[in-house]
Coordinates of all heavy atoms in Angstrom, one line a residue:
A691 N 27.5 -21.8 -26.7 CA 26.8 -22.9 -26.1 C 27.6 -23.6 -25.1 O 28.9 -23.4 -25.0 CB 26.3 -23.9 -27.1
C692 N 27.0 -24.4 -24.2 CA 27.7 -25.3 -23.3 C 26.7 -26.4 -22.9 O 25.5 -26.3 -23.1 CB 28.1 -24.5 -22.0 SG 26.8 -24.0 -20.9
F693 N 27.3 -27.5 -22.5 CA 26.5 -28.6 -22.0 C 26.6 -28.6 -20.5 O 27.7 -28.3 -19.9 CB 27.1 -30.0 -22.6 CG 27.1 -30.0 -24.1 CD1 28.2 -29.9 -24.8 CD2 25.9 -30.2 -24.7 CE1 28.2 -30.0 -26.2 CE2 25.8 -30.2 -26.1 CZ 27.0 -30.1 -26.8
T694 N 25.5 -28.7 -19.9 CA 25.4 -28.5 -18.5 C 24.5 -29.5 -17.8 O 23.7 -30.2 -18.5 CB 24.9 -27.0 -18.2 OG1 24.8 -26.8 -16.8 CG2 23.5 -26.8 -18.8
N695 N 24.5 -29.5 -16.5 CA 23.5 -30.3 -15.7 C 22.4 -29.4 -15.2 O 21.5 -29.9 -14.5 CB 24.2 -31.0 -14.5 CG 25.2 -32.1 -15.0 OD1 24.9 -32.7 -16.0 ND2 26.3 -32.2 -14.3
E696 N 22.5 -28.1 -15.4 CA 21.5 -27.2 -14.9 C 20.2 -27.3 -15.8 O 20.3 -27.6 -17.0 CB 22.0 -25.8 -15.0 CG 23.0 -25.4 -13.9 CD 22.5 -25.4 -12.5 OE1 21.3 -25.3 -12.3 OE2 23.3 -25.6 -11.6
V697 N 19.1 -27.0 -15.2 CA 17.8 -26.9 -15.9 C 17.5 -25.4 -16.1 O 16.9 -25.1 -17.1 CB 16.7 -27.6 -15.1 CG1 15.4 -27.4 -15.7 CG2 17.1 -29.1 -14.9
N698 N 17.9 -24.6 -15.2 CA 17.6 -23.1 -15.3 C 18.9 -22.4 -15.8 O 19.9 -22.4 -15.1 CB 17.2 -22.7 -13.9 CG 16.9 -21.2 -13.8 OD1 17.1 -20.4 -14.7 ND2 16.3 -20.8 -12.7
P699 N 18.8 -21.7 -16.9 CA 19.9 -21.0 -17.4 C 20.4 -19.8 -16.5 O 21.5 -19.4 -16.7 CB 19.4 -20.4 -18.8 CG 18.0 -20.4 -18.6 CD 17.6 -21.5 -17.7
N700 N 19.6 -19.4 -15.6 CA 20.0 -18.3 -14.7 C 21.1 -18.8 -13.8 O 21.8 -18.0 -13.2 CB 18.8 -17.8 -13.9 CG 17.8 -17.1 -14.7 OD1 18.2 -16.3 -15.6 ND2 16.6 -17.3 -14.5
N701 N 21.3 -20.1 -13.6 CA 22.4 -20.6 -12.8 C 23.7 -20.9 -13.5 O 24.7 -21.3 -12.8 CB 21.9 -22.0 -12.1 CG 20.7 -21.8 -11.3 OD1 20.4 -20.7 -10.7 ND2 19.8 -22.8 -11.2
N702 N 23.7 -20.6 -14.8 CA 25.0 -20.8 -15.5 C 25.8 -19.5 -15.5 O 25.2 -18.4 -15.5 CB 24.7 -21.1 -17.0 CG 24.2 -22.5 -17.2 OD1 24.3 -23.4 -16.3 ND2 23.7 -22.8 -18.3
K703 N 27.1 -19.7 -15.5 CA 28.0 -18.5 -15.5 C 28.4 -18.2 -16.9 O 28.4 -19.1 -17.8 CB 29.3 -18.8 -14.7 CG 29.0 -19.0 -13.2 CD 30.3 -19.4 -12.5 CE 29.9 -19.7 -11.0 NZ 31.0 -20.3 -10.3
A704 N 28.7 -17.0 -17.2 CA 29.1 -16.6 -18.6 C 30.3 -17.3 -19.1 O 30.5 -17.7 -20.2 CB 29.3 -15.1 -18.7
S705 N 31.2 -17.7 -18.1 CA 32.5 -18.3 -18.5 C 32.3 -19.8 -18.9 O 33.1 -20.4 -19.5 CB 33.4 -18.3 -17.3 OG 32.9 -19.0 -16.2
E706 N 31.1 -20.4 -18.6 CA 30.8 -21.7 -19.0 C 30.5 -21.9 -20.5 O 30.6 -23.0 -21.0 CB 29.6 -22.3 -18.2 CG 30.0 -22.4 -16.7 CD 28.7 -22.8 -15.9 OE1 27.7 -23.1 -16.5 OE2 28.9 -22.8 -14.7
Y707 N 30.1 -20.8 -21.1 CA 29.8 -20.9 -22.6 C 31.0 -20.8 -23.4 O 31.6 -19.7 -23.7 CB 28.8 -19.7 -22.9 CG 27.5 -19.8 -22.2 CD1 27.2 -19.2 -21.0 CD2 26.5 -20.5 -22.8 CE1 26.0 -19.3 -20.4 CE2 25.2 -20.6 -22.2 CZ 25.0 -20.0 -21.0 OH 23.8 -20.2 -20.4
T708 N 31.5 -22.0 -23.8 CA 32.8 -22.1 -24.5 C 32.7 -22.5 -25.9 O 33.6 -22.4 -26.7 CB 33.7 -23.0 -23.7 OG1 33.1 -24.3 -23.6 CG2 34.1 -22.5 -22.3
I709 N 31.6 -23.1 -26.3 CA 31.4 -23.6 -27.7 C 30.9 -22.4 -28.6 O 29.8 -21.9 -28.4 CB 30.4 -24.8 -27.7 CG1 30.9 -25.9 -26.8 CG2 30.2 -25.3 -29.1 CD1 29.9 -27.0 -26.5
E710 N 31.7 -22.0 -29.5 CA 31.3 -21.0 -30.5 C 30.3 -21.5 -31.5 O 30.6 -22.6 -32.1 CB 32.5 -20.4 -31.2 CG 33.6 -19.8 -30.3 CD 33.3 -18.3 -30.0 OE1 32.5 -17.7 -30.8 OE2 33.8 -17.8 -29.0
I711 N 29.2 -20.9 -31.7 CA 28.2 -21.3 -32.7 C 28.2 -20.4 -33.9 O 28.3 -20.9 -35.0 CB 26.8 -21.4 -32.1 CG1 26.7 -22.4 -30.9 CG2 25.8 -21.7 -33.1 CD1 25.4 -22.4 -30.2
G712 N 28.2 -19.1 -33.7 CA 28.1 -18.2 -34.8 C 27.2 -17.0 -34.4 O 26.8 -16.9 -33.3
E713 N 27.0 -16.2 -35.5 CA 26.2 -15.0 -35.3 C 24.7 -15.1 -35.8 O 23.9 -14.3 -35.6 CB 26.8 -13.8 -35.9 CG 28.1 -13.4 -35.3 CD 28.8 -12.2 -36.0 OE1 28.1 -11.5 -36.7 OE2 30.0 -12.0 -35.7
D714 N 24.5 -16.2 -36.5 CA 23.2 -16.4 -37.2 C 22.3 -17.4 -36.5 O 22.8 -18.4 -36.1 CB 23.5 -16.8 -38.7 CG 22.2 -16.6 -39.5 OD1 21.3 -17.4 -39.4 OD2 22.2 -15.7 -40.3
K715 N 21.0 -17.1 -36.5 CA 20.1 -18.1 -35.9 C 20.0 -19.4 -36.7 O 19.7 -20.4 -36.1 CB 18.7 -17.5 -35.7 CG 18.1 -16.9 -37.0 CD 16.8 -16.2 -36.6 CE 16.3 -15.3 -37.7 NZ 16.8 -14.0 -37.6
T716 N 20.3 -19.4 -38.0 CA 20.4 -20.7 -38.7 C 21.5 -21.6 -38.2 O 21.4 -22.8 -38.2 CB 20.5 -20.5 -40.2 OG1 21.6 -19.7 -40.5 CG2 19.3 -19.8 -40.8
Q717 N 22.6 -21.0 -37.8 CA 23.7 -21.7 -37.3 C 23.3 -22.3 -35.9 O 23.7 -23.5 -35.6 CB 25.0 -20.8 -37.1 CG 25.5 -20.4 -38.4 CD 26.6 -19.3 -38.3 OE1 26.4 -18.4 -37.5 NE2 27.7 -19.5 -39.0
V718 N 22.6 -21.6 -35.1 CA 22.1 -22.1 -33.8 C 21.1 -23.2 -34.1 O 21.2 -24.3 -33.4 CB 21.3 -21.0 -33.0 CG1 20.7 -21.5 -31.8 CG2 22.3 -19.8 -32.7
E719 N 20.2 -23.1 -35.1 CA 19.3 -24.2 -35.4 C 20.0 -25.4 -35.8 O 19.7 -26.5 -35.3 CB 18.4 -23.7 -36.5 CG 17.4 -24.8 -36.9 CD 16.4 -24.4 -38.0 OE1 16.6 -23.3 -38.6 OE2 15.4 -25.1 -38.2
K720 N 21.1 -25.3 -36.7 CA 21.9 -26.5 -37.1 C 22.5 -27.2 -35.9 O 22.5 -28.4 -35.7 CB 22.9 -26.1 -38.1 CG 22.4 -25.8 -39.5 CD 23.6 -25.4 -40.4 CE 23.1 -25.0 -41.7 NZ 24.2 -24.5 -42.6
F721 N 23.1 -26.3 -35.0 CA 23.8 -26.9 -33.8 C 22.8 -27.6 -32.9 O 23.1 -28.8 -32.5 CB 24.5 -25.8 -33.1 CG 25.1 -26.2 -31.8 CD1 26.4 -26.8 -31.8 CD2 24.5 -26.0 -30.6 CE1 27.0 -27.2 -30.6 CE2 25.1 -26.4 -29.4 CZ 26.3 -27.0 -29.4
V722 N 21.7 -27.0 -32.6 CA 20.8 -27.6 -31.7 C 20.2 -28.8 -32.3 O 20.1 -29.9 -31.6 CB 19.7 -26.6 -31.3 CG1 18.5 -27.2 -30.5 CG2 20.3 -25.4 -30.5
R723 N 19.8 -28.8 -33.5 CA 19.1 -29.9 -34.2 C 20.1 -31.1 -34.2 O 19.7 -32.3 -34.0 CB 18.7 -29.6 -35.6 CG 17.8 -30.6 -36.2 CD 17.1 -30.1 -37.5 NE 16.1 -29.1 -37.2 CZ 14.8 -29.4 -36.8 NH1 14.5 -30.6 -36.5 NH2 14.0 -28.4 -36.7
K724 N 21.4 -30.8 -34.5 CA 22.4 -31.9 -34.6 C 22.5 -32.6 -33.2 O 22.5 -33.8 -33.1 CB 23.8 -31.3 -35.0 CG 24.9 -32.3 -35.1 CD 26.2 -31.7 -35.5 CE 26.9 -31.4 -34.2 NZ 28.2 -30.9 -34.1
E725 N 22.6 -31.8 -32.2 CA 22.8 -32.4 -30.8 C 21.5 -33.1 -30.4 O 21.6 -34.2 -29.8 CB 23.1 -31.3 -29.8 CG 24.5 -30.6 -30.0 CD 25.6 -31.6 -29.9 OE1 25.5 -32.6 -29.0 OE2 26.7 -31.5 -30.5
V726 N 20.4 -32.6 -30.7 CA 19.1 -33.2 -30.3 C 18.9 -34.5 -31.0 O 18.5 -35.6 -30.5 CB 17.9 -32.3 -30.5 CG1 16.6 -33.0 -30.3 CG2 18.0 -31.1 -29.5
E727 N 19.2 -34.5 -32.3 CA 19.1 -35.7 -33.1 C 20.1 -36.8 -32.7 O 19.8 -38.0 -32.7 CB 19.2 -35.4 -34.6 CG 18.0 -34.7 -35.2 CD 18.1 -34.3 -36.6 OE1 19.2 -34.5 -37.2 OE2 17.1 -33.8 -37.2
K728 N 21.3 -36.4 -32.4 CA 22.3 -37.3 -31.9 C 21.8 -38.0 -30.6 O 21.9 -39.2 -30.5 CB 23.6 -36.5 -31.6 CG 24.7 -37.4 -31.1 CD 26.0 -36.5 -30.9 CE 27.0 -37.2 -30.2 NZ 28.2 -36.4 -29.8
F729 N 21.3 -37.2 -29.7 CA 20.7 -37.8 -28.5 C 19.5 -38.8 -28.8 O 19.4 -39.8 -28.2 CB 20.3 -36.7 -27.5 CG 19.8 -37.3 -26.2 CD1 20.7 -37.5 -25.1 CD2 18.5 -37.6 -26.0 CE1 20.2 -38.0 -23.9 CE2 18.0 -38.1 -24.8 CZ 18.9 -38.3 -23.7
Y730 N 18.7 -38.3 -29.7 CA 17.5 -39.1 -30.0 C 17.9 -40.5 -30.6 O 17.3 -41.5 -30.3 CB 16.6 -38.3 -31.0 CG 15.5 -39.1 -31.7 CD1 14.4 -39.5 -30.9 CD2 15.6 -39.5 -33.0 CE1 13.4 -40.3 -31.5 CE2 14.6 -40.2 -33.6 CZ 13.5 -40.6 -32.9 OH 12.5 -41.3 -33.4
K731 N 18.9 -40.5 -31.5 CA 19.3 -41.7 -32.1 C 20.0 -42.7 -31.1 O 19.8 -43.9 -31.2 CB 20.3 -41.5 -33.2 CG 19.7 -40.9 -34.5 CD 20.7 -40.5 -35.5 CE 20.0 -39.8 -36.7 NZ 21.0 -39.3 -37.6
E732 N 20.6 -42.1 -30.1 CA 21.3 -43.0 -29.1 C 20.3 -43.4 -28.0 O 20.5 -44.5 -27.5 CB 22.5 -42.2 -28.5 CG 23.6 -41.9 -29.4 CD 24.7 -41.0 -28.8 OE1 24.5 -40.6 -27.6 OE2 25.6 -40.7 -29.5
N733 N 19.4 -42.6 -27.6 CA 18.6 -42.9 -26.4 C 17.1 -42.9 -26.6 O 16.3 -43.3 -25.7 CB 18.9 -41.8 -25.3 CG 20.4 -41.8 -25.0 OD1 20.9 -42.8 -24.5 ND2 21.0 -40.7 -25.3
G734 N 16.6 -42.4 -27.7 CA 15.1 -42.4 -27.9 C 14.5 -41.0 -27.5 O 15.2 -40.1 -27.3
K735 N 13.2 -41.0 -27.4 CA 12.5 -39.8 -27.2 C 11.6 -39.9 -26.0 O 11.2 -40.9 -25.6 CB 11.5 -39.7 -28.4 CG 10.9 -38.4 -28.7 CD 10.1 -38.4 -30.0 CE 9.6 -37.1 -30.4 NZ 8.8 -37.2 -31.7
S736 N 11.5 -38.7 -25.3 CA 10.6 -38.7 -24.1 C 9.1 -38.8 -24.6 O 8.8 -38.5 -25.7 CB 10.8 -37.3 -23.5 OG 9.9 -37.1 -22.4
Q737 N 8.3 -39.2 -23.7 CA 6.9 -39.4 -24.0 C 6.2 -38.1 -24.3 O 5.4 -38.0 -25.2 CB 6.2 -40.1 -22.8 CG 6.6 -41.6 -22.6 CD 6.4 -42.4 -23.8 OE1 5.4 -42.3 -24.5 NE2 7.3 -43.3 -24.1

Side-chain angles (χ1 to χ4, degrees):
C692 69
F693 299 107
T694 180
N695 291 326
E696 287 293 336
V697 176
N698 182 345
N700 293 321
N701 298 331
N702 287 346
K703 296 177 183 168
S705 60
E706 295 175 6
Y707 294 92
T708 56
I709 303 168
E710 297 275 341
I711 297 177
E713 295 181 15
D714 194 288
K715 57 186 162 269
T716 57
Q717 293 170 316
V718 174
E719 181 179 12
K720 284 180 187 177
F721 174 81
V722 170
R723 192 169 291 280
K724 182 184 93 175
E725 293 298 327
V726 169
E727 286 177 356
K728 180 180 169 185
F729 182 88
Y730 170 69
K731 288 176 184 173
E732 293 172 2
N733 302 296
K735 192 176 189 180
S736 175
Q737 294 299 319

